[in-house]
Amino acid sequence: MIPTPDLSHLTQTDFVHVYEPAEDTFLLLDALEQEADELKKHPPLICLEIGSGSGCVSAFLGTILGPSVAIHLSTDINQHASSCTLATGRQNKIIIDPVTCSLAQPLLTRLTRSVDILLFNPPYVPTDTEEASIAQGGGGIAGAWAGGASGMEITDRFLKDVDGLLSDRGKLYLVALKQNDVSGICSRMLTEFNLQSKIVIQRRAGREHLFIIRFSRPNRCS
Ligand SMILES: C[S@@+](CC[C@H](N)C(=O)[O-])C[C@H]1O[C@@H](n2cnc3c(N)ncnc32)[C@H](O)[C@@H]1O
């Protein structure tokens, strides 16, 4: 069993500003652990986590792969999250380079078709559009959950960038909620970008039914 990253350096004050790992985070860790042998068999060179929050997920991926195997990049709209991610990397001996920005915006050109592992646990809670756009502009804790219509406004923006980011053997692990319309997301990604999908794991957590969907190019994954 791969240990959950050490977050003892983060305080309750940090978690006033930054998303504290919860069921969705842990489901993503479980999915990565389930895929660990496959991930290690073809070690990734570039990993990118969008919306890294505390840095827990990138640190966990770094632990699976082992130190110095891959470059770990992350983004978040929340400046405080970027600081926590950097600190969590250091605490767990994984070098993570966080960038404070929206989605992968400033990295899109440099990382064209070169990301081997792409991760996003997005703000997926359905809210009205105005709430989501205020949260996105504010760069605070509300940006961790406010997802706009169907909880998909931020995820939909991100999904348009995925084909341009993934390398030939690249994989995206995306967290989604049942209300986000998981089968609709999968069929759109196939139709628009020829990216195939697989539900790696799903779990009910209180009122939420959470999924981890893996996307890849055809014939790259089982
Ligand atoms: C549900 S939290 C997940 C945090 C962490 N990855 C985890 O699993 O615990 C969503 C994260 O996405 C960030 N976020 C929201 N909108 C974003 C955007 N447009 N670009 C980058 N990060 C964003 C939030 O600030 C928050 O840290």
Side-chain angles (χ1 to χ4, degrees):
M1 188 165 166
I2 300 152
T4 305
D6 178 5
L7 298 182
S8 60
H9 56 292
L10 301 180
T11 66
Q12 276 314 307
T13 311
D14 289 317
F15 292 128
V16 170
H17 304 287
V18 175
Y19 189 76
E20 182 165 4
E23 289 299 333
D24 47 355
T25 317
F26 298 124
L27 192 64
L28 183 50
L29 301 192
D30 288 349
L32 293 173
E33 180 160 21
Q34 200 173 296
E35 304 256 298
D37 289 344
E38 190 61 30
L39 294 176
K40 283 191 285 193
K41 212 189 290 173
H42 308 286
L45 296 178
I46 299 183
C47 304
L48 171 64
E49 181 181 10
I50 308 297
S52 58
S54 64
C56 180
V57 180
S58 282
F60 188 77
L61 178 62
T63 305
I64 289 178
L65 299 174
S68 314
V69 169
I71 292 170
H72 295 272
L73 303 169
S74 69
T75 72
D76 206 295
I77 47 166
N78 178 338
Q79 169 69 60
H80 205 107
S82 298
S83 308
C84 288
T85 295
L86 186 67
T88 297
R90 287 190 180 139
Q91 181 82 1
N92 292 276
K93 302 190 168 39
I94 307 294
I95 297 169
I96 307 172
D97 290 317
V99 181
T100 303
C101 64
S102 183
L103 305 176
Q105 220 53 49
L107 306 171
L108 288 174
T109 308
R110 290 295 297 272
L111 294 183
T112 299
R113 293 228 166 196
S114 44
V115 177
D116 297 315
I117 304 289
L118 185 57
L119 306 165
F120 194 20
N121 178 7
Y124 53 66
V125 177
T127 63
D128 61 42
T129 295
E130 191 185 359
E131 185 177 348
S133 90
I134 291 170
Q136 286 289 301
I141 187 74
W145 63 77
S150 307
M152 282 299 290
E153 289 189 27
I154 291 82
T155 305
D156 276 342
R157 261 187 260 152
F158 163 73
L159 290 176
K160 292 191 177 75
D161 293 336
V162 170
D163 183 44
L165 284 167
L166 283 186
S167 68
D168 281 355
R169 62 195 178 105
K171 294 172 189 161
L172 160 66
Y173 294 88
L174 178 74
V175 180
L177 200 59
K178 191 170 191 183
Q179 293 97 303
N180 299 148
D181 181 15
V182 171
S183 57
I185 298 173
C186 295
S187 57
R188 269 190 292 131
M189 292 303 277
L190 186 61
T191 315
E192 290 178 29
F193 303 109
N194 197 27
L195 290 171
Q196 63 185 19
S197 57
K198 182 186 168 182
I199 309 294
V200 179
I201 193 167
Q202 57 177 300
R203 186 177 296 158
R204 282 198 178 74
R207 287 182 311 164
E208 294 188 334
H209 188 164
L210 294 159
F211 293 77
I212 308 297
I213 318 168
R214 184 188 72 200
F215 295 91
S216 59
R217 301 196 189 281
N219 306 320
R220 297 288 165 176
C221 297
S222 53

